[in-house]
């Protein structure tokens, strides 16, 4: 496949990180000269995060998002392609569970900027495939990556995506990643239907607005906090019990100011 003609010096790459943009451009140019199969494996894998599992990569490859994925001979499958990438110092195996990681962040960045992988629609399709095909436990383990990919599609009126982002926000909050939690909560709110306050999705809506408000308070983002609380408190169909979490979050902001 010609991959082994591409040899790169890790120490040189590290030295060049003062000019990250140049390094990414160089890597991208080299990737574009690779055989088509390897380019596409790299593009799929780049969407899966800093680490990825072989069977997850096989899932998205099997969905043929490119629409014309090359047919592979029996001896040339995803594991064998990953072995070539490993020999080329592009990825490395992490453990016996067939988890791989990129040898350098710049390599993933370059792959994500190559071909269709750079398009939000492609990233959304990868995320949608994973959302539909991963098991419940696998989706939970990959919740951040899947939510991020889904969010590139900027889908509206999709309560299932709102719920996905709520779970990602809760998990990020539990890890004290407040910026990420706030971003996921905001994406979840954007995915809610227009009648979110008067339908069966009201509880989901309240949870997203509560978490969004709490993260805005924690980060000192007063404008976002006011926007969230104003919308919740203006809903006349909400009971005091339903408004209470927002009132508590707002009271914390008042205490911080005082």
């Amino acid at each position: 496949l010609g991959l082994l003609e591409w040899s790169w010096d890790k120490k040189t790459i590290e030295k060049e990180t003062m000019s990250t943009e140049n390094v990414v451009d160089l890597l991208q140019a080299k990737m574009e000269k690779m055989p088509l199969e390897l380019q596409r494996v790299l593009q799929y894998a780049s969407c899966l995060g800093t680490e990825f599992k072989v069977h997850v990569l096989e899932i998205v490859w099997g969905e043929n998002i490119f629409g014309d994925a090359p047919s592979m001979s029996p001896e040339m499958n995803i594991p064998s392609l990953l072995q070539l990438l490993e020999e080329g110092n592009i990825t490395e195996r992490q453990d016996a569970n067939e988890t791989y990681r990129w040898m350098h962040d710049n390599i993933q960045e370059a792959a994500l900027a190559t071909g269709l992988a750079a398009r939000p629609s492609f990233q959304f399709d990868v995320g949608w495939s994973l959302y539909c095909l991963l098991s419940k436990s696998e989706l939970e383990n990959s919740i951040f990556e899947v939510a991020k990919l889904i969010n590139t599609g900027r889908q509206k009126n999709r309560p299932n995506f709102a719920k996905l982002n709520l779970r990602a926000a809760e998990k990020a909050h539990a890890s004290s990643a407040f910026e990420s939690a706030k971003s996921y909560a905001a994406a979840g709110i954007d995915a809610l239907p227009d009648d979110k306050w008067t339908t069966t999705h009201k509880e989901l809506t309240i949870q997203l607005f509560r978490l969004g408000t709490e993260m805005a308070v924690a980060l000192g983002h007063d404008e976002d906090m006011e926007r969230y609380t104003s919308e919740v408190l203006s809903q006349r169909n909400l009971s005091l019990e339903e408004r209470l979490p927002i009132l508590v979050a707002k009271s914390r902001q008042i205490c911080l100011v005082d």
Side-chain angles (χ1 to χ4, degrees), residues 115-131:
L116 291 181
R119 298 183 184 180
S121 59
F122 177 86
Q123 295 175 31
F124 172 78
D125 288 343
V126 172
W128 175 245
S129 296
L130 296 176
Y131 178 80

Side-chain angles (χ1 to χ4, degrees), residues 44-45 48 52-66 69 72 78-79 82 125-136 138-139 142 146:
Y44 279 132
L48 303 181
F52 56 90
K53 292 186 178 297
V54 174
H55 83 280
V56 175
L57 184 57
E58 289 175 330
I59 287 174
V60 293
W61 179 276
E63 288 299 288
N64 192 12
I65 297 169
F66 284 99
M72 290 188 289
I78 293 296
L82 286 174
D125 288 343
V126 172
W128 175 245
S129 296
L130 296 176
Y131 178 80
C132 294
L133 298 175
L134 290 179
S135 68
K136 185 176 180 179
E138 289 172 336
L139 181 59
S142 302
V146 176

Side-chain angles (χ1 to χ4, degrees), residues 14 94 101 123 125 192 215 226 235:
E14 295 286 354
Q94 284 289 90
R101 74 175 183 91
Q123 295 175 31
D125 288 343
L192 288 166
M215 294 303 94
E226 289 292 346
Q235 306 304 315

